[in-house]
């Protein structure tokens, strides 16, 4: 069959169909495309797989590649085309290492010279060419005997607590026991012990963050105290009593008895997907408890299930199904005052059969996990707030692209509740295991900043988050990126304390309705100096308003921020105060050049952030002062629910990571000391209020 096109527009339309088909999407008249003998107009960039496009061909005389062929023929003709391709590759110095030969799937793993690698991108029958999976788990870590590990010390006396509300805890696990503060059951007739294993697995991550790294270093040193509240039964599900009541009992107990403020709740109700209307169920309970008790809940988005309810072709339809209506958040993920966490894939290589091309990961490293769910939450608030590593899945190409059965070696490592009779560690995948990483980071902040409230924890976490480039390359547009990954993955390098190339300033304040707070950012002149490079200012804000499910607004208070440049603080204050008098504050625009999240997008949530990137600062940018303006503007219906002064936390980071020998931290500290001395001098010389 030969296709002829009347004009370039028709050719473009046909090529668009080919692109959709190559990415696993359904197209009209695909039976005609499958009947074609060849595709001579398919370009090298169309054949370039995601990993190859991102990293390019590896160095070396001989490289390993996966070539997937077009399924353009059936039966004996298909076999003939495969043999022809193999012969063609061998004549050019290629070696077929392994292959998958299924009726509608052909993958060759080739070892080939650089010249052949480039020719493959122009071969008529090649659908995609990509790098094989590379990053995988060290399977030996799972079998690490306890005897090879250090004697685990107790956490410091003043270590903050972290509470895991789950299926209980195997409190005697050797790397957990020294850190356990208390373990209680809130399930009638059940002990605090973990009969399912989920709670112990989550607890290991909540306590240590990266269990695999601890195993590699053969060293476990807890920096937190661990508490466990059993709220789930032996099947890791809620029992007939309302889970809202059990969570409330558990939170009050650990808050009152031990002063705990960070609670990880890796739970999701598949019967309560968020449908874009009112927030309900456990999410409302968490929002109310967070405000009442001054606590932080960290929850997952929930998982897509790897069963008949999932996509028919997990790899072929990825990542499109991540944004489908069937993949929305599940309760309690829509909670606005909680931190909701989605999942990223870390591992992509099957450790048991690393050379078998039939085993293909659904996601590559730093892409969204194939089971993570998407937002937004109520009134289009950004959810999830963050993402972290929670595992990956793979397909077995020999079974029509179905998910590979059993443990796949692509998950995250943590503690095994059956350590006494099995291995002390195991691997698993799910958003349940990305959430405790964020909970760990939040609790660590409380240890580093004792005076910090939970709003500051939230503000600091999103201030240090960014979307991995792999997600940006994969997902279609900014809206999809935001709904799947939120503010991104937290960078721990400067989270707990400032470093020379990244400085964080923060404030905890309270504000009245229809008022502004003004903050000048102490940007050193050296920040703008030098050549073209990325410099970043990030602003984040968090607060916990009262909520009502009977209102579309849901939030009874509204606090937001703008980043503006001006000549002086007085000029900014005059501008905003005049706008208040005209009731037109929303008309004052903030800087939009180089901005990551618009004010409209971020202000719908109760934790908000945006980053401004400056590559080549203009004279106007260099000569201006920079201010953050925090504004409170409540809906009228919430007047009886809010406080006269609503508390909030603000964080600002300055980052100059590409500067040679950055001294940003030193320069900011010096500028702050100068400003403080100037204020003290002004205070000493100012006359008393009644003096003449």
């Amino acid at each position: 069959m030969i296709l002829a096109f009347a004009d370039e527009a028709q050719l473009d339309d046909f090529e668009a169909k080919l692109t959709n088909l190559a990415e696993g999407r359904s197209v009209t008249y695909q039976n005609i495309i499958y009947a074609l003998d060849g595709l001579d107009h398919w370009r090298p960039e169309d054949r370039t797989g995601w990993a190859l496009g991102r990293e390019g061909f590896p160095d070396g005389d001989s490289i390993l590649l996966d070539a997937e062929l077009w399924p353009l023929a059936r039966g004996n003709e298909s076999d003939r085309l495969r043999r022809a391709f193999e012969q063609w590759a061998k004549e050019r110095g290629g070696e077929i290492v392994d292959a998958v030969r299924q009726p509608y799937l052909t993958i060759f793993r080739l070892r080939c010279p650089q010249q052949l690698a480039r020719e493959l991108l122009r071969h008529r029958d090649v659908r995609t060419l990509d790098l094989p999976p590379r990053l995988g788990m060290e399977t030996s870590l799972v079998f690490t005997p306890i005897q090879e590990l250090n004697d685990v010390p107790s956490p410091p006396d003043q270590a903050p607590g972290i509470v895991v509300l789950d299926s209980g805890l195997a409190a005697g696990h050797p790397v957990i026991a020294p850190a356990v503060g208390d373990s209680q059951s809130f399930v009638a007739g059940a002990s605090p012990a973990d009969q399912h294993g989920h709670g112990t697995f989550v607890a290991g991550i909540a306590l240590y963050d990266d269990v695999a790294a601890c195993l590699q270093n053969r060293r476990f040193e807890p920096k937190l105290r661990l508490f466990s509240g059993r709220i789930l039964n032996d099947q890791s599900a809620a029992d007939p009593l309302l889970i809202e009541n059990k969570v409330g009992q558990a939170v009050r107990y650990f808050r009152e008895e031990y002063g705990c403020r960070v609670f990880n709740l890796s739970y999701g109700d598949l019967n309560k997907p968020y449908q874009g209307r009112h927030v309900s169920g456990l999410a409302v309970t968490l929002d109310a408890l967070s405000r009442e008790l001054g606590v932080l809940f960290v929850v997952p988005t929930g998982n897509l299930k790897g069963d008949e309810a999932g996509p028919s072709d997990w790899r072929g339809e990825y990542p499109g199904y991540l944004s489908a209506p069937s993949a929305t958040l599940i309760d309690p993920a829509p909670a606005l005052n909680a931190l909701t966490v989605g999942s990223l894939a870390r591992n992509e290589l099957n450790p048991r059969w690393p050379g078998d091309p039939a085993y293909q990961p659904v996601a590559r490293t730093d892409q969204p996990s194939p089971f993570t769910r998407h937002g937004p939450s109520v009134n289009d608030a950004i959810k999830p707030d963050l993402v972290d590593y929670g595992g990956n899945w793979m397909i077995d190409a020999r079974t029509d692209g179905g998910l590979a059965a059993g443990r796949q070696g692509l998950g995250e490592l943590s503690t095994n509740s059956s350590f006494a009779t099995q291995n002390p560690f195991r691997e698993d995948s799910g958003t349940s295991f990305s959430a405790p990483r964020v909970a760990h980071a939040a609790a660590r902040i409380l240890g580093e900043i004792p005076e910090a409230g939970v709003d500051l924890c939230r503000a600091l976490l999103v201030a240090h988050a960014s979307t991995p480039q792999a997600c940006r390359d994969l997902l279609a547009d900014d809206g999809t990126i935001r709904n799947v990954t939120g503010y991104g993955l937290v960078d721990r390098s400067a989270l707990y304390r400032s470093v020379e190339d990244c400085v964080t300033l923060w404030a905890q304040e309270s504000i009245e309705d229809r008022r502004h707070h003004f903050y000048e950012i102490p940007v050193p002149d050296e920040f703008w100096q030098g050549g073209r490079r990325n410099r970043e200012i990030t602003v984040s804000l968090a607060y916990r308003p009262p909520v009502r499910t009977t209102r579309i607004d849901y939030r009874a208070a509204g606090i937001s921020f703008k980043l503006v440049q001006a000549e002086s603080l007085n000029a900014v204050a005059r501008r905003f105060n005049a706008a208040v008098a005209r009731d037109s504050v929303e008309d004052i625009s903030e800087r939009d050049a180089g901005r990551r999240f618009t004010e409209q997008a971020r202000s719908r949530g109760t934790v908000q952030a945006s980053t401004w990137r400056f590559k080549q600062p203009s004279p106007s940018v260099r000569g201006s002062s920079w201010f953050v303006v925090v504004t409170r503007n409540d809906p009228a219906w919430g007047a009886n629910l809010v406080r006269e002064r609503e508390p909030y936390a603000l964080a600002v980071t300055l980052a100059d990571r590409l500067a040679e020998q950055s001294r940003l931290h030193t320069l900011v500290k010096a500028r702050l000391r100068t400003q403080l001395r100037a204020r003290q001098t002004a205070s000493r010389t100012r006359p008393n209020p009644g003096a003449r």
Side-chain angles (χ1 to χ4, degrees):
M1 179 187 294
I2 298 175
L3 295 181
F5 301 97
D7 52 35
E8 288 292 328
Q10 290 187 5
L11 177 59
D12 290 343
D13 181 63
F14 178 72
E15 289 181 339
K17 291 181 184 294
L18 288 179
T19 299
N20 286 332
L21 189 63
E23 294 175 354
R25 303 189 186 99
S26 178
V27 299
T28 57
Y29 303 112
Q30 65 184 40
N31 58 317
I32 296 177
I33 297 175
Y34 283 133
L36 295 175
D37 288 328
L39 294 165
D40 289 330
H41 199 69
W42 201 242
R43 298 167 298 178
E45 53 266 38
D46 299 319
R47 294 185 173 93
T48 302
W50 180 85
L52 181 59
R54 185 185 185 196
E55 301 181 24
F57 289 112
D59 295 331
D61 297 332
S62 180
I63 59 179
L64 204 63
L65 295 169
D66 284 353
E68 181 179 348
L69 305 190
W70 280 99
L72 298 180
R74 296 176 175 83
N76 294 334
E77 182 66 13
S78 177
D79 291 336
R80 186 186 67 81
L81 289 176
R82 289 169 179 162
R83 288 194 299 271
F85 178 84
E86 291 183 58
Q87 183 64 32
W88 176 87
K90 290 177 181 178
E91 290 174 353
R92 287 157 178 78
E95 174 192 356
I96 305 298
V97 176
D98 203 350
V100 176
R101 299 177 178 87
Q102 297 295 323
Y104 284 96
L105 178 66
T106 301
I107 301 175
F108 286 106
R109 181 158 291 174
L110 303 99
R111 191 176 303 280
C112 54
Q114 291 280 353
Q115 180 58 36
L116 175 56
R118 284 161 173 76
E119 289 183 39
L120 285 167
L121 287 175
R122 299 183 180 276
H123 192 283
R124 179 196 65 178
D125 295 336
V126 173
R127 179 182 185 179
T128 57
L129 186 69
D130 211 346
L131 301 175
R134 292 191 300 173
L135 186 61
M137 180 191 304
E138 293 182 37
T139 54
S140 61
L141 294 177
V142 176
F143 307 106
T144 304
I146 292 296
Q147 294 78 4
E148 291 187 9
L149 304 177
N150 65 300
D151 292 332
V152 180
S154 297
D157 292 340
Q158 301 304 315
I162 186 167
V163 185
V164 174
L165 302 178
D166 213 288
S167 62
L169 182 69
H173 193 291
V175 304
I176 287 178
V180 175
D182 191 4
S183 181
Q184 294 287 330
S185 175
F186 300 88
V187 177
S191 76
D194 184 7
Q195 303 300 322
H196 180 273
H198 189 269
T200 303
F201 195 94
V202 170
I205 298 173
L207 182 58
Y208 291 108
D209 188 8
D210 194 336
V211 175
C214 295
L215 279 168
Q216 288 168 338
N217 296 327
R218 296 296 195 266
R219 190 157 196 84
F220 287 82
E221 294 183 356
K223 294 180 171 59
L224 305 173
R225 291 181 299 145
L226 177 65
F227 297 87
S228 170
R230 181 174 179 180
I231 60 168
L232 303 175
N233 61 24
D234 291 350
Q235 287 73 48
S236 195
D239 65 16
L241 297 179
L242 289 173
I243 192 171
E244 289 84 353
N245 291 334
K246 288 187 291 185
V247 168
Q249 294 169 14
V251 172
R252 292 181 190 281
Y253 172 80
F254 289 110
R255 184 72 173 106
E256 293 169 4
E257 293 295 323
Y258 302 102
C260 297
R261 290 186 286 169
V262 177
F263 293 79
N264 186 92
L265 179 57
S266 287
Y267 170 84
D269 189 344
L270 288 168
N271 290 329
K272 294 181 180 177
Y274 181 64
Q275 298 179 316
R277 301 188 183 95
H278 297 295
V279 176
S280 60
L282 183 57
V284 179
T285 300
L286 300 188
D287 280 338
L289 287 172
S290 179
R291 178 177 172 86
E292 177 191 353
L293 301 177
V295 297
L296 171 61
F297 294 100
V298 183
V299 300
T301 59
N303 296 330
L304 287 169
K305 303 298 288 184
D307 54 21
E308 66 278 0
S312 58
D313 183 352
W314 285 88
R315 187 166 181 261
E317 296 177 44
Y318 177 87
Y321 65 78
L322 294 179
S323 300
S326 59
T328 58
L329 304 170
I330 57 176
D331 187 48
L336 289 191
N337 292 342
L339 281 176
T340 303
V341 186
S343 180
L344 295 178
R346 181 181 350 217
N347 299 312
E348 59 183 45
L349 177 65
N350 176 0
R352 296 183 64 187
W353 298 284
D356 191 339
Y359 291 107
Q360 293 286 329
V362 177
R364 304 302 288 258
T365 300
D366 283 344
Q367 290 181 343
S369 299
F371 44 77
T372 195
R373 288 176 171 268
H374 72 83
S377 181
V378 62
N379 200 27
D380 289 335
I382 292 175
K383 287 284 176 177
D385 303 288
L386 299 164
V387 287
D388 214 310
Y389 295 116
N392 196 2
W393 284 341
M394 71 172 66
I395 64 160
D396 183 351
R398 298 183 181 88
T399 59
D400 298 326
L403 291 174
R407 299 295 181 200
Q408 303 178 20
L410 302 187
E412 295 296 314
L413 276 175
S414 191
T415 42
N416 187 358
S417 63
S418 301
F419 66 92
T421 57
Q422 300 175 9
N423 297 315
F425 304 96
R426 65 181 181 89
E427 63 100 2
D428 206 347
S429 294
T431 57
S432 287
F433 315 129
S434 58
R437 294 190 188 282
V438 173
H440 173 93
R444 286 283 305 280
I445 290 172
L446 295 179
E448 297 293 336
I449 310 175
E451 65 270 33
V454 296
D455 285 330
L456 183 57
C457 287
R458 290 201 296 159
L460 289 172
L461 287 166
V462 298
H464 288 271
S466 61
T467 305
Q469 189 60 46
C471 294
R472 293 187 173 279
D473 294 342
L474 176 75
L475 301 175
D477 53 63
D478 288 343
T480 303
I481 294 170
R482 183 171 64 242
N483 289 339
V484 174
T485 67
Y487 291 107
L489 174 67
V490 178
D491 180 356
R492 271 75 161 174
S493 63
L495 175 63
Y496 305 124
R497 58 180 63 85
S498 294
V499 294
E500 281 296 351
D501 60 5
C502 184
V503 182
T504 303
L505 305 108
W506 53 267
Q508 297 181 107
E509 273 293 345
S510 59
I511 187 171
E512 297 174 283
D513 190 22
R514 311 289 172 172
R515 293 291 186 272
H516 306 293
H517 284 177
F518 304 94
Y519 297 87
E520 182 176 1
I521 304 175
V523 184
D525 294 338
E526 291 82 353
F527 185 72
W528 306 118
Q529 294 174 1
R532 183 181 178 86
R533 66 179 187 275
N534 284 335
R535 309 158 174 86
E536 293 180 346
I537 297 177
T538 299
V539 183
S540 63
L541 178 145
Y543 68 108
R544 285 165 294 122
V547 296
R548 284 295 181 273
T549 61
T550 55
R551 295 284 179 169
I552 294 177
D553 285 352
Y554 188 59
R555 302 171 303 169
I559 304 177
S560 59
F561 72 85
K562 297 177 187 282
L563 177 71
V564 297
Q565 60 185 108
E567 295 179 0
S568 66
L569 177 61
N570 287 336
V572 174
R574 285 195 301 269
R575 190 164 139 208
F576 274 81
N577 290 333
V580 168
R582 300 191 306 270
D583 198 23
S584 60
V585 173
E586 65 277 2
D587 294 337
I588 298 179
S589 60
E590 67 176 5
R591 178 180 175 85
D592 58 1
R595 179 179 59 185
R596 184 178 173 209
F597 291 99
T598 67
E599 183 183 6
Q600 182 182 30
R602 66 183 188 249
S603 63
R604 292 164 175 160
T606 65
V607 58
Q608 311 161 15
S610 191
T611 296
W612 284 261
R613 180 169 291 176
F614 305 84
K615 290 188 176 180
Q616 188 69 53
S618 66
S620 171
V621 167
R622 295 171 185 266
S624 296
S625 294
W626 292 86
F627 301 90
V628 178
V629 183
V630 176
T631 301
R632 178 179 169 192
N633 191 1
D634 296 348
W637 64 264
N640 295 327
L641 303 175
V642 297
R643 304 182 180 111
E644 180 180 355
R645 297 182 65 90
E646 281 290 330
Y648 69 89
L650 180 72
V652 177
T653 67
L654 301 176
D656 193 6
R657 296 184 175 92
L658 299 182
E660 294 184 9
Q661 298 180 338
S662 178
R663 297 175 56 249
L664 186 56
H665 187 209
T666 300
L667 294 169
V668 170
K669 286 177 64 177
R671 178 156 181 166
L672 288 173
R673 283 195 296 267
T674 300
Q675 292 176 344
L676 179 61
R677 285 196 296 269
R679 284 197 295 268
Q680 290 172 339
T681 300
S683 177
R684 287 194 297 269
T685 58
R686 187 180 298 119
N688 291 328
R692 296 293 181 188

